[in-house]
Amino acid sequence: MSDLDRAIAQLRACRPIPEYQVRELCYKARELLIEEGNVVGVDAPVTICGDIHGQFHDLMELFRVGGDVPDTNYLFMGDFVDRGFYSLESFLLLLCLKVRYPDRITLIRGNHESRQITTVYGFYDECLRKYGSANVWRYCCEVFDYLALGALVIGAATNLEPSDAPFADPTSQASMQTEDQDIEIETLNANGEIMFRFPRNHDASQSSQATSQPSSSPIIDTPSRTGPSGTSATSSANGSRGNDGGAVLCVHGGLSPLIDTIDKIRLLDRKQEVPHEGAMCDLLWSDPDEIDGWGLSPRGAGFLFGADIVKCFNYKNDLSLIARAHQLVMEGFKEMFDSTIVTVWSAPNYCYRCGNVAAILELGEDGSNAGYMRRSNGDVGRRQSSVLTERGRDGPGRRYRVFDAAPQDSRGMPAKKPVADYFL
Amino acid sequence: MPAPEIPNLKSLLASRRGGQQRGRGRGILTSGAKHESSDADKDRAVQNTDQDAATSRLSCIELGYLEDPFAKAFATQPTIRRLPLLNRGTYVRTTAIDILVDKFLSTSPTELKQIVSLGAGTDTRYYRILSKYPSIKVIYHEFDFPSNTATKIATIQKTPSLLAQIRQSLLDPSDLKISVDKTFLTSPFYNIHAIDLRTFSTSPAPTIPNLSATTPTLLLSECCLIYLQPADASAILFSFLTTLIPAPTPVAVVLYEPIRPHDAFGRTMEANLASRNIHLHTLKKYGSLTRQRIRLKSAGFEHGFKAADTGFIWQKWIAEEEKERVAALEMLDEFEELELLLTHYCVAWGWRDRGEEALFGKAWAEVQEQERDDEVG
């Protein structure tokens, strides 16, 4: 067993590794990250994850639900640290996995991967407490400066492979039968049972039928179901109108008024502390909002951006979807603007207080390489791909796995029930 | 989380082996209390909520959210820097109650007024009122458990500035009396009563020295009544409105407490606090703004019964320039969480006026209540 594997085993048990090992790890990680561009290319299949925030036991739950590294190819969209009690273990484990399996895990930078933010929101204090000095915090911050700013997922399948997963609620199975339809969105619970399945809109002649279907679905009005409420397809969208075959841009926060092409992200000098303003800051801080154009962010950094901005950016850059994190969503994920952008949130019961569920987003691999040729392997009822090319491109098939916070004291790790603050 | 709240792995091991901790890591101390806890433990947990609130208040003062030169004297713990969203919440809570109290005091300013603070703990409101309104005559009563009043009185005794403030309001300094066991402080204007609020539901109800039955009175419950059983909480309001201060003397109440226990955040809040042995007994009964209004009306605050959550209060009660000032104090990143937190606390205010005089009706005429209440009772 190598030192690295030993460190991984130790961190998996939620035990910090010694300072000298952290130094070595961070050095290796930097050597690796420096070779990555500002926008990392990632091939589907990939599982896209949002904020973790030091909730180590929930990260373990994420791996249980989504599969382990290296079996599953992961992309984490930043905010590994702060707020939770185990930022150190969470970040170091992810970093170890990155060094050990560089092609199976991608880490990009969140706005909390910053010296300034970590001194306010806990990671600095945690390092100080666990090591007695700020050295480890410093090593980690140096790694932060090398993290990529975004990732571009290519080769994602337009439709989900039909899975033989059982339905969580067998009575709803009939209403979600999609045998003769392609699956665009599927939501699974932590046990791998289907909570919700949404077929793709095929063409204009079918769209009225297809759009009325989700709105009349009984699931939509059921608050206990987490899937549909996060899916804009259930409310405003006529399914996806993204660009078929287009890539998926992953970034922690969102867009910037200074960035109209992905190539402009590639030109940034990223190896620095997150600035207070400018393109790099915006990518890590901005939020989509129901506005036209750009707006001021209440966060004091980054901007708010509306549907027109997203659609224009996606069109110009041949994207089918933007995946981002950064904002707590109670249902774990939330698609907006006709499914042109999605927020993925992976910290369940955030800060041990919010009561939310978490989600990860799986994008499948398109077997046909080209991205918009559908696999025609004899599946019953599959439609001709010519239908698709006629009406333009669809967004990737999206499988969301939704999960709760890890049960306390269940994994043989020092998991004292954390205390959340309230007003008393 | 601020440093003292991150569990130290080493100390966790120590406490598991029965190691003792004092003063810090209160989460660790209480989280182990899975065994059946005694009533005394539960009382202590409620009493300790005062130090928790005091710590939050100090954090706000240090960072410039609030001004309070007296809070430091009552702090038994070093200042912990709370997270920005908690500071914001503490600011909104304190400011909301200040607004209602100020409007009460500045309406008919020459008239004698009375304020009763339930579960006052280390609250400094009386001293802040004295320094802000030196000419106003107000009889002030604080109620709390003996252990809390004893600590407070000891602090007052050893803090000359506080003693001077109290004596200044008295005609004769010798009117200030402290009981032998140092749990009661009485004077014609400032009083600290060591009373277990649950005794209001037993008969006979406790008598309150120096409580005026004819002076317009404001009752304050800042996260206090919610820790009592619903019957006990109702009995207190009933006693004040009937036997202690009978009609037609104007009486009003201002409540600050959690609401909306039925959504994911609310359920988590109730469970998290229960694991600290803090039980919110009236939360479900008065879990929405509508239910709070009905509660006030049926208690006898018949001339006004209003409520708003603290998210609404931040939006509507605080002036824009003040909002900008506060927003600039700290970088606040956690907007979704702040929104959740603020919408799970409310201020409810109700009053019974004396006929046409309408003291409270006038004082609070401009205070905006929240129409929308998305929780179905």
Side-chain angles (χ1 to χ4, degrees):
Chain A
M1 200 189 225
S2 75
D3 283 353
L4 194 53
D5 285 329
R6 252 192 299 276
I8 290 173
Q10 189 165 338
L11 286 164
R12 274 184 197 279
C14 199
R15 281 181 285 130
I17 53 175
E19 185 177 318
Y20 76 91
Q21 276 186 23
V22 178
R23 194 182 58 210
E24 208 172 312
L25 171 69
C26 289
Y27 181 77
K28 281 184 194 153
R30 262 181 14 232
E31 281 191 322
L32 204 65
L33 293 170
I34 202 170
E35 297 299 325
E36 291 186 345
N38 291 347
V39 182
V40 193
V42 174
D43 290 322
V46 64
T47 297
I48 299 170
C49 311
D51 294 27
I52 300 299
H53 280 304
Q55 298 186 193
F56 179 86
H57 304 87
D58 300 323
L59 177 60
M60 294 297 105
E61 181 71 2
L62 184 155
F63 284 138
R64 187 186 73 78
V65 170
D68 222 329
V69 184
D71 306 333
T72 302
N73 181 27
Y74 277 103
L75 196 168
F76 285 87
M77 297 190 289
D79 278 14
F80 317 109
V81 299
D82 281 345
R83 307 304 308 269
F85 295 129
Y86 303 99
S87 290
L88 182 84
E89 293 82 353
S90 305
F91 178 63
L92 292 181
L93 176 60
L94 290 172
L95 208 58
C96 275
L97 293 171
K98 175 71 190 173
V99 172
R100 178 73 177 79
Y101 309 103
D103 298 328
R104 298 300 289 169
I105 180 168
T106 305
L107 306 177
I108 66 174
R109 193 169 190 177
N111 64 311
H112 277 263
E113 275 72 57
S114 127
R115 288 166 186 79
Q116 206 191 345
I117 303 294
T118 49
T119 49
V120 177
Y121 283 97
F123 181 51
Y124 175 84
D125 292 325
E126 186 186 327
C127 291
L128 217 55
R129 266 179 88 79
K130 289 177 178 171
Y131 289 95
S133 85
N135 291 343
V136 164
W137 173 76
R138 255 181 239 113
Y139 301 145
C140 291
C141 287
E142 282 164 20
V143 175
F144 294 163
D145 289 344
Y146 286 80
L147 290 169
L149 303 178
L152 199 61
V153 178
I154 50 173
T158 314
N159 294 302
L160 296 176
E161 283 290 304
S163 63
D164 49 6
F167 280 79
D169 176 7
T171 57
S172 67
Q173 187 165 356
S175 67
M176 288 189 269
Q177 274 305 355
T178 50
E179 266 173 27
D180 57 343
Q181 289 169 301
D182 294 322
I183 306 161
E184 181 182 357
I185 304 169
E186 198 172 73
T187 309
L188 282 73
N189 65 19
N191 300 323
E193 297 160 339
I194 297 165
M195 299 157 71
F196 175 70
R197 184 180 265 177
F198 186 62
R200 184 174 294 282
N201 272 349
H202 293 285
D203 50 47
S205 64
Q206 282 199 336
S207 68
S208 61
Q209 187 199 342
T211 44
S212 66
Q213 192 171 343
S215 59
S216 64
S217 163
I219 301 150
I220 290 152
D221 302 320
T222 311
S224 62
R225 305 265 179 163
T226 52
S229 47
T231 313
S232 76
T234 59
S235 52
S236 64
N238 297 338
S240 165
R241 285 185 179 157
N243 299 325
D244 174 44
V248 178
L249 176 68
C250 301
V251 64
H252 179 72
L255 298 176
S256 165
L258 299 169
I259 299 282
D260 60 347
T261 65
I262 290 173
D263 279 340
K264 287 201 177 149
I265 305 178
R266 299 185 211 272
L267 293 176
L268 298 171
D269 175 19
R270 77 164 190 270
K271 293 169 193 80
Q272 54 168 324
E273 168 77 346
V274 182
H276 290 273
E277 52 184 22
M280 178 170 161
C281 165
D282 298 342
L283 294 169
L284 271 55
W285 278 92
S286 294
D287 298 304
D289 197 13
E290 303 290 344
I291 56 167
D292 287 326
W294 297 97
L296 284 177
S297 170
R299 297 179 197 265
F303 289 89
L304 302 176
F305 53 95
D308 49 340
I309 302 290
V310 174
K311 287 177 181 176
C312 183
F313 187 88
N314 286 7
Y315 180 79
K316 192 166 185 176
N317 292 280
D318 202 17
L319 298 176
S320 57
L321 179 71
I322 295 174
R324 44 90 63 175
H326 197 39
Q327 279 178 296
L328 167 67
V329 278
M330 295 300 281
E331 297 82 12
F333 71 98
K334 182 183 179 186
E335 296 190 353
M336 293 173 75
F337 308 156
D338 299 329
S339 302
T340 52
I341 187 166
V342 60
T343 300
V344 180
W345 182 266
S346 305
N349 195 19
Y350 180 43
C351 295
Y352 317 105
R353 175 165 51 203
C354 291
N356 60 292
V357 295
I360 50 178
L361 165 57
E362 292 177 359
L363 301 180
E365 178 186 14
D366 190 342
S368 66
N369 295 328
Y372 43 83
M373 289 290 287
R374 218 108 42 90
R375 186 181 299 199
S376 53
N377 54 1
D379 282 353
V380 186
R382 284 293 185 127
R383 301 176 65 86
Q384 296 292 320
S385 59
S386 62
V387 176
L388 273 173
T389 47
E390 272 167 27
R391 73 167 269 255
R393 294 157 172 170
D394 286 318
R398 310 182 287 288
R399 179 173 282 126
Y400 296 99
R401 291 187 189 271
V402 174
F403 59 100
D404 283 310
Q408 291 291 333
D409 301 326
S410 63
R411 322 199 102 81
M413 286 176 277
K416 278 286 174 181
K417 196 173 173 63
V419 178
D421 279 318
Y422 293 94
F423 306 117
L424 302 174
Chain B
M1 306 271 158
E5 296 188 19
I6 295 168
N8 182 323
L9 295 180
K10 287 179 194 153
S11 70
L12 281 175
L13 289 173
S15 68
R16 201 174 274 173
R17 295 190 199 103
Q20 273 292 323
Q21 300 200 351
R22 299 194 327 142
R24 21 172 254 181
R26 61 200 161 77
I28 296 160
L29 274 175
T30 49
S31 61
K34 276 203 177 135
H35 56 86
E36 280 191 31
S37 48
S38 68
D39 288 346
D41 285 342
K42 287 181 184 162
D43 285 359
R44 208 169 303 120
V46 170
Q47 287 157 31
N48 289 340
T49 62
D50 174 57
Q51 269 311 311
D52 193 279
T55 307
S56 296
R57 207 181 310 135
L58 266 188
S59 171
C60 272
I61 294 160
E62 298 260 320
L63 291 162
Y65 284 87
L66 300 169
E67 234 180 282
D68 184 346
F70 308 103
K72 193 109 202 174
F74 293 109
T76 57
Q77 292 166 1
T79 310
I80 297 169
R81 187 181 171 137
R82 290 270 205 241
L83 286 173
L85 84 164
L86 285 164
N87 291 327
R88 182 77 69 89
T90 302
Y91 166 83
V92 177
R93 155 200 192 155
T94 307
T95 307
I97 298 169
D98 282 354
I99 287 171
L100 292 167
V101 170
D102 284 357
K103 285 180 185 291
F104 166 55
L105 292 176
S106 51
T107 304
S108 312
T110 52
E111 198 180 334
L112 181 66
K113 309 252 174 46
Q114 183 165 249
I115 293 176
V116 175
S117 177
L118 304 169
T122 53
D123 188 35
T124 57
R125 180 162 272 108
Y126 179 65
Y127 305 95
R128 292 196 282 124
I129 289 173
L130 281 189
S131 61
K132 192 171 177 185
Y133 304 100
S135 59
I136 277 183
K137 284 286 171 209
V138 55
I139 310 170
Y140 205 98
H141 299 271
E142 298 183 352
F143 290 65
D144 215 320
F145 288 106
S147 61
N148 281 2
T149 61
T151 316
K152 186 162 196 174
I153 290 167
T155 305
I156 293 168
Q157 282 189 299
K158 68 174 189 214
T159 312
S161 60
L162 296 176
L163 274 175
Q165 279 276 9
I166 299 167
R167 289 203 176 111
Q168 232 168 42
S169 64
L170 303 177
L171 291 172
D172 180 353
S174 67
D175 284 342
L176 181 66
K177 295 192 173 65
I178 289 168
S179 67
V180 181
D181 65 358
K182 301 196 172 175
T183 59
F184 281 86
L185 179 152
T186 52
S187 80
F189 290 108
Y190 185 47
N191 299 273
I192 300 176
H193 308 282
I195 289 180
D196 184 333
L197 290 169
R198 289 167 293 195
T199 56
F200 278 93
S201 52
T202 60
S203 56
T207 53
I208 317 294
N210 300 326
L211 185 82
S212 162
T214 55
T215 306
T217 301
L218 174 59
L219 306 171
L220 297 177
S221 164
E222 237 183 294
C223 282
C224 170
L225 294 182
I226 196 158
Y227 302 128
L228 301 173
Q229 293 295 339
D232 290 330
S234 301
I236 291 165
L237 297 180
F238 181 79
S239 295
F240 275 100
L241 281 162
T242 55
T243 49
L244 294 171
I245 310 176
T249 306
V251 179
V253 69
V254 171
L255 303 165
Y256 167 82
E257 55 191 38
I259 51 166
R260 298 183 179 138
H262 299 297
D263 61 14
F265 183 96
R267 287 194 302 270
T268 309
M269 168 166 67
E270 216 172 1
N272 278 347
L273 289 174
S275 75
R276 290 166 64 178
N277 222 350
I278 296 166
H279 301 273
L280 309 173
H281 294 298
T282 69
L283 176 59
K284 288 222 166 68
K285 193 162 185 202
Y286 309 122
S288 68
L289 299 179
T290 305
R291 283 170 174 242
Q292 290 282 1
R293 291 188 193 104
I294 294 168
R295 164 198 201 171
L296 295 176
K297 188 182 181 192
S298 45
F301 299 101
E302 54 191 342
H303 296 115
F305 31 89
K306 302 190 172 191
D309 69 43
T310 50
F312 178 91
I313 289 173
W314 164 259
Q315 288 297 332
K316 306 282 183 181
W317 289 21
I318 319 269
E320 286 305 318
E321 57 269 36
E322 172 68 355
K323 267 192 262 188
E324 274 174 36
R325 181 192 75 84
V326 170
L329 290 171
E330 278 185 291
M331 205 222 50
L332 192 143
D333 178 34
E334 315 294 336
F335 272 91
E336 301 77 31
E337 199 190 353
L338 175 67
E339 183 66 16
L340 277 173
L341 200 58
L342 289 183
T343 51
H344 282 80
Y345 288 83
C346 81
V347 174
W349 63 106
W351 65 91
R352 177 188 77 194
D353 267 330
R354 177 163 39 203
E356 294 302 301
E357 181 197 1
L359 171 68
F360 287 105
K362 268 183 218 151
W364 294 339
E366 304 295 315
V367 180
Q368 208 179 339
E369 73 169 325
Q370 189 172 357
E371 303 290 345
R372 190 184 59 86
D373 190 358
D374 43 25
E375 200 214 34
V376 187

